[in-house]
Amino acid sequence: MASLDRFPLHYLAAFRAAAQTENLRAAAESLHLTHSAVSQQIRGLEAQLGFELFTRQGRRLTLNPAGQALQRGVTQVFAALQAGLLAAAQAHGSAAQTLRVTALPSFAQRWLLPRLPRWQALQPCITLDLHSSQQVVDLEREGFHIGLRIGRGGWPGLICEPLFHSPHIVVAAPLLAQRLVGAPPELLTQQPLMGDADLWRQWFAEVGHKGTVPTPVATFNDAAMLGQAAEQGMGVALTRELFAADALLDGRLVRLSAHAVDDDATRDYQVVYPEALRDDPAVRIFCDWLHAEVAALQQRLKETAAADR
């Protein structure tokens, strides 16, 4: 393995982009490089290290354990570099001290707010002005620096970074879950179900249930309300894993089945910002922090699931 003083550090930027997007073409677009250039840099990095970092399936790249370990280190390094850039800009008097962020209420309440104390501790000089809305807003016209959106990306004038793709899982409060964990689907049909009726039909079909699927007793236009209703014992919920993750980890919710409903990529979460802010240090720091928080949470979920087996 090459020593750091001779290591081609631009390889790490290509690795970071590929790890975030899991797609060489998307990584190349984010770096303004050609597909072949990014591919060569990834191969060069693996050659320098002496081992592979990705499992390759067609155009899709998936980090292997070595790649996951490197991603954690690279994320920390880039965050430190961005912090240095911001400090330099602040010393020069040119840094923006406030980031205006718009997000869906469900994302803001269920995922982002619990993590803001960590953000504040890491970046006390950057104030977040957080707005939650069900409406998609024009970032530049409304004066926002960053948006958290659902969709495939590709919005004109915006840089889009995939944040997470999260399947739907079946959860319930601990008291209700005591007799339902691992139960056959037929028993779940006798429980008050909450969430999208089509997703419930898909879930039951995928686990082999051929009988009638009851109509949910409650549906919500906001995932945060669905999660709160489940925590309060109102019924069994089909909700996004990442939105239930904190409650699962601290015992407020219990996962009832290993099966998950994985809807298509039109429902992926993206962090977006205007092209004019591509090199803004504060924007980059916030985006890198989001990616790091998602990666850390997903790792904790994997470790918990492995321990429960």
Side-chain angles (χ1 to χ4, degrees):
M1 188 174 70
S3 61
L4 188 59
D5 58 347
R6 297 182 180 179
F7 199 85
L9 295 180
H10 64 286
Y11 285 2
L12 296 180
F15 166 77
R16 175 172 167 269
Q20 288 177 351
T21 62
E22 296 188 333
N23 183 283
L24 285 180
R25 192 169 302 281
E29 290 175 356
S30 70
L31 295 171
H32 295 285
L33 296 173
T34 64
H35 177 282
S36 61
V38 173
S39 179
Q40 289 173 7
Q41 290 180 19
I42 295 296
R43 292 291 187 186
L45 174 61
E46 292 176 325
Q48 291 276 0
L49 294 172
F51 47 81
E52 292 189 345
L53 299 166
F54 294 94
T55 300
R56 291 164 171 84
Q57 299 173 325
R59 294 182 179 180
R60 178 103 184 251
L61 300 175
T62 303
L63 288 169
N64 63 25
Q68 292 171 3
L70 180 60
Q71 185 190 35
R72 290 192 289 271
V74 167
T75 298
Q76 293 173 358
V77 168
F78 271 81
L81 287 172
Q82 291 294 345
L85 290 173
L86 180 62
Q90 289 171 341
H92 184 262
S94 59
Q97 298 297 307
T98 299
L99 280 180
R100 300 193 72 227
V101 179
T102 176
L104 289 167
S106 55
F107 180 87
Q109 182 177 343
R110 200 74 187 171
W111 195 91
L112 184 56
L113 285 178
R115 287 162 177 78
L116 288 187
R118 285 202 291 274
W119 164 262
Q120 189 176 35
L122 288 169
Q123 303 295 339
C125 295
I126 304 176
T127 300
L128 291 186
D129 181 6
L130 181 61
H131 292 245
S132 64
S133 173
Q134 294 280 5
Q135 305 301 316
V136 175
V137 302
D138 185 311
L139 298 188
E140 292 188 284
R141 186 180 63 199
E142 301 296 332
F144 287 103
H145 299 93
I146 293 172
L148 286 306
R149 291 185 176 179
I150 296 177
R152 291 186 183 275
W155 293 287
L158 296 178
I159 296 172
C160 305
E161 298 182 12
L163 188 59
F164 65 81
H165 175 82
S166 182
H168 288 76
I169 62 172
V170 179
V171 299
L175 189 62
L176 180 59
Q178 287 178 358
R179 54 191 174 84
L180 296 176
V181 174
E186 291 72 23
L187 184 56
L188 285 184
T189 63
Q190 302 170 24
Q191 310 304 316
L193 305 181
M194 302 188 298
D196 184 85
D198 290 337
L199 282 176
W200 269 117
R201 282 192 287 270
Q202 181 180 342
W203 187 89
F204 277 107
E206 290 178 2
V207 297
H209 177 70
K210 301 185 183 302
T212 301
V213 178
T215 300
V217 299
T219 60
F220 304 87
N221 71 340
D222 184 277
M225 289 192 293
L226 174 59
Q228 289 173 349
E231 288 180 30
Q232 292 167 11
M234 183 176 170
V236 177
L238 189 57
T239 184
R240 287 193 184 277
E241 182 181 37
L242 248 64
F243 285 174
D246 291 333
L248 290 170
L249 291 170
D250 64 23
R252 286 176 286 130
L253 288 176
V254 177
R255 184 167 180 171
L256 303 185
S257 168
H259 185 74
V261 172
D262 201 1
D263 53 358
D264 63 41
T266 61
R267 306 300 294 172
D268 282 1
Y269 276 72
Q270 312 270 348
V271 54
V272 303
Y273 47 90
E275 291 177 351
L277 298 179
R278 176 187 298 275
D279 298 319
D280 184 282
V283 168
R284 186 68 263 153
I285 287 173
F286 186 70
C287 291
D288 285 347
W289 176 77
L290 288 174
H291 288 299
E293 285 287 335
V294 169
L297 184 59
Q298 289 174 329
Q299 182 63 30
R300 287 187 66 196
L301 288 173
K302 289 179 182 178
E303 292 170 354
T304 300
D308 290 340
R309 290 195 188 105

